[in-house]
Amino acid sequence: MSLKERIAILISGRGSNMEALIKASQKPSFPASVELVISNNPDALGLDRAREYGIATQVIDHHDFGKDRQAHERQIDAVLQAYAISTICLAGYMRILTSFLINHWPNQILNIHPSILPLFPGLDTHAKALDAGMKVHGCTVHIVNEIMDQGPILGQAVIPILPNDTSLTLAKRLLEQEHVLYPRVLKRFLRGDEIETTADALING
Ligand code: GRF
């Protein structure tokens, strides 16, 4: 009998972090299995990827709920309950959660954000880091609370910004570190290991 925690991943697009979590979770020693992928976007590329791994997928399109964000989340919540999910990983999920879902899943929703939070919350983080003249950039896995991109930090990875970097090159190099960091932090989080608030430096080159 599997003692693994039952994870759901919420996506809106490509799903490369989703795939990194799925791959990690397939190892017997990983404390979680990905049971469900939910997308608000019917065209999300990650949906096909998830299906290739044999994982259940659900599209819950926010357009079907008009401006009623809570109704959209009530539907998500119902599906999460139906699959007996215990932890939710946001992975490129491009909707800001309302207090409804956050309060139903206290300290059970994780997110990965492509910056060294609390620097550069929101979108366009790579351009923001370049514009600010940063010499390093990074990504953060954090617990989702009511303040966007500002919940408790669980782990961070840092990379150098190179002289010729553009938003695209930076995003590409950082994504490789995201794929390492997210499973690693999730594993530690689920085991109840000490939460690290300092950077897990994964500096390349
Ligand atoms: C990643 O950069 C992640 O940090 C951010 O959105 C992007 C999603 O990419 N939240 P993917 O869908 O996981 O490939």
Side-chain angles (χ1 to χ4, degrees), residues 9 17-26 34 37 50 53 55:
I9 304 177
N17 278 288
M18 172 205 78
E19 188 171 4
L21 290 171
I22 292 171
K23 277 188 181 158
S25 73
Q26 289 180 331
V34 178
V37 169
Y53 283 92
I55 292 173

Side-chain angles (χ1 to χ4, degrees), residues 38-96:
I38 297 177
S39 175
N40 65 305
N41 170 15
D43 300 323
L45 292 176
L47 284 168
D48 284 338
R49 221 64 195 114
R51 289 180 196 123
E52 281 164 27
Y53 283 92
I55 292 173
T57 60
Q58 292 259 339
V59 174
I60 305 176
D61 189 343
H62 58 280
H63 293 109
D64 295 344
F65 299 85
K67 290 204 166 105
D68 194 344
R69 293 167 63 206
Q70 214 189 88
H72 180 237
E73 291 188 353
R74 274 199 302 274
Q75 182 61 35
I76 293 174
D77 185 58
V79 175
L80 293 168
Q81 305 283 357
Y83 277 81
I85 295 302
S86 61
T87 303
I88 302 162
C89 292
L90 308 184
Y93 183 66
M94 301 304 285
R95 306 276 302 165
I96 295 170

Side-chain angles (χ1 to χ4, degrees), residues 11-19 90-94 111-115 126 139-140 171 174-175 178-179:
I11 63 168
S12 299
R14 172 178 62 183
S16 71
N17 278 288
M18 172 205 78
E19 188 171 4
L90 308 184
Y93 183 66
M94 301 304 285
N111 181 42
I112 186 156
H113 181 79
S115 79
H126 315 297
C139 51
T140 302
L174 185 60
L175 195 63
E178 295 185 35
H179 297 163

